[in-house]
Amino acid sequence: MNEKREINEIFLKPYNANEHEDSVYKIWEKSNIFSPEKCIEKGYTDKDAPKFSMVLPPPNVTGVLHMGSAFMLVTEDTLIRFNRMKGKKTLWIPGMDHAAIATQSRVEKELLKKEKKRKEDLGREAFIERVQSFAEDNRVRMREQIKKIGSSVDWDREAFTLDEPRAKAVRYAFAQMYKDGLIYRGEKVVNWDPKGQTTLSDDEIEYQEGKAKLYTFRYSKDFPIPVATTRPETKVGDTAVAVNPNDKRYKKYIGQTFEINFVGIPLSIKVVSDREIDPEFGTGAVGVTPAHSKVDEQIAKRNKLPSIKVINEYAKMDIDDEELRGKKTLQAREIIVERLKKAGLMEKEEEVEQNLSVSYRSGGTIEPLPKEQWFIDVNKKFKIPHSNIDGIENGELVSLKELILHAVKNKQINIVPERFEKVYFNWIEKLEDWCISRQIWYGHRIPVWYKDKAVYCDTVPPKEEGWEQDPDTLDTWFSSALWTFSTLGWPDNLKINKDGTLEKTGDLLHYHPTDVLETGYDILFFWVARMILMSTYHLGEIPFKTVYMHGMVRDGEGRKLSKSLGNNIDPLDVAEKYGTDAVRMALLVGTAPGNDTKVSEQKLKAYKHFSNKIWNVTRFVLENTSTDSVDEIFIKEKEQKHLDEWKKIAKEITTDLEKYRIHLASEKLYNYFWHRLADILIEESKSTLLNGDEDDKKSVATLLNIILKENLIMLHPFMPFITEAIWQITYVENKKPLAVERWPIK
RNA sequence: GCGGGAUUAGCUCAGUUGGUAGAGCAGUGCUUUUACACAGCAAAGGUCGUAGGUUCAAGUCCUACAUCCCGCACCA
């Protein structure tokens, strides 16, 4: 008993993550433990075990993985590994997003910079090829990055939002919704991005706080009502002035039309009444520009007013006035203001706080323009043929808005932390039709063809000659919205029976709905809500049971990480420096769901030290115990107390993980390992192991072995590399990796 | 304007169903004793934003206020 076990030489020096990480990942890949089917084949997972499935929120193929992606991967990998070790049939599907606008504009920029060419110089086909090869290069690199973080995704099922199976799903989804009248084409005032030359959905607009001038003026000397505006240049497109129906000042003018000359431009202005007008604000009268304001468009619609488009797609004036024609809106504004002043029509100028609408991608100032676009109607009622959604019957008349509201309200989908449910409901209340068409080249082409006045929509092009396909592509979020089921073989894996019921087969049957959707709170609307929309509509079922929201990664001072701030942290750099496990722990410990996390050098260093601690504890146990017995029969009373304490904590940690309290589980493990196992159990064991009698020695040795082994197992989801590396050297049996070892607590 | 969050040790943050406050880093003292100096040990540090309330008991629940942050809307 006094003899020490031979220990592997490798333990004689400090833990060096770089020596182990790549080979450990290869062990996992080789043993196919990321595939649930292979795990069953090898006997690692019971055939009848319950499943646990997740999709990876596909990172944009625009480039390299950032700290935010690392945070996401780490959180998800921890959940996946935990469930896999619990014995579940565990599937995590990887993939990437073509990120239409973002990717296209990256390539456009590069093309301009390197070759001084515009996409039009190449032509649609050649340009798309460019983008595709850019995306493919990035995918190769990003795959390696995803691996480096330790992600245990099933690579055989890797998907891309723009590959052929997903393209089929997109066409199928579009055609189905078109047939149900939920997708329509219509002319409306939309968010036009003159910089990116495309429309955007309401959610793709960001607001920049700023100051603006509010001008109060009269259209002409003989016009009785003054109006105020921050955009004088749009006033050349006015067709009405709206006042509150109860406003005594203006009541007598309601219904009258004034033919006037507005600083050189003839206008026909009708005075209309509208309840939305606040008589207290400004002059109590609004100049209505139906073509260039969504609010005005509504007023115009209610009052049957004509609409005059005066600004074009390049944010330049399109009007019959020599000085103004072709001028940018801001220049035109100055000209109009100048003319108003000269004519003595300007009554007041004041500075006001006003938010500027900009594109979240290009940063371009949004210009509301009337355009013919494709929309998803969120309010139209349709008969849902088949429903697995609690409280929604087969054949019930519902709208998409009702479906997405219901799924969460009814608690079929839980959002963690719960406060985001309120944010979600808030968004739904204000939800309007989703503009899904984009005027860019890279993306899913809209599956609609035109010939003369005929329109054809289907999953395949019309057979006859002469049909012209719609040039627009779809909002990238349209294809992402199908992600939970397009990655599981939809539509092929969904049979529609004669009686209208749906029957799932294959992966779709086995893994949908997925269990958890883990993603950042910044894409709750963009993505989470749209997935719920698509899944409830197309499958009549929820896409996932739980939504786990994580926050943003910030620097030590709480600033967003960004290249322009120069505080960007490359996850691979720090992984190289501190070890991936340390990076994982630094991100996980103490970061409650939905909260932002700050990464600092200090925190990373602390968990690098922890890795070394694990390494050295293992070395001590191996060196100082002559048995690797984990048979509790040898445990005596004193050690039993320690064991009981550990079991209690292990149980707590398990519950924490089941309830998505990853931040607590990881902290408890850390604390137990360092401040109980290392600081107390090992310190106390020293004298016994040196001088104690044989039974005591055996009791202590067994205790240390049990606790170390179980700690390694339970640390694995958080710190997979070092734990697997140690396992491979010490405990491995029949080449069974730690990653599929069974969790010690039921 | 509507909604949400935060306010706990010098700094960054945890704190699960209410039961006499925890971690990392920084800082103090001691210790180079062969698992680990990428260390250990010991001590120090908080009236949990303010004011009320519920309760045997409140960092935790309720109300009001203050300060900060975020999301959404937006008025011409």
Side-chain angles (χ1 to χ4, degrees), chain A residues 365-383:
Chain A
T365 306
I366 297 303
E367 192 63 60
L369 289 180
K371 288 193 82 74
E372 189 158 53
Q373 296 293 320
W374 289 96
F375 296 89
I376 289 184
D377 191 330
V378 293
N379 290 309
K380 183 175 176 166
K381 299 257 187 186
F382 64 97
K383 250 190 196 174

Side-chain angles (χ1 to χ4, degrees), chain A residues 9 56 113 276 279 286 381 447 452 478 492 570 575 665 707:
Chain A
E9 260 184 38
L56 173 72
K113 205 175 154 192
E276 297 292 307
V286 179
K381 299 257 187 186
D452 302 323
F478 188 98
D492 295 346
D570 183 338
I707 291 188

Side-chain angles (χ1 to χ4, degrees), chain A residues 58-66 69 95-110 131-142 145 160-161 360-361 442 476 563:
Chain A
N60 291 352
V61 287
T62 45
V64 291
L65 230 56
H66 48 78
S69 335
M96 288 169 218
D97 196 318
H98 68 288
I101 294 179
T103 311
Q104 166 160 334
S105 58
R106 272 292 286 278
V107 176
E108 276 187 84
K109 262 185 210 160
E110 230 181 70
V131 186
Q132 274 168 346
S133 93
F134 170 80
E136 196 43 55
D137 289 350
N138 283 336
R139 286 182 72 194
V140 173
R141 186 161 74 237
M142 289 170 73
Q145 292 172 331
F160 183 49
T161 55
Y360 82 136
R361 285 288 180 226
Y442 183 58
T476 192
K563 276 178 200 154

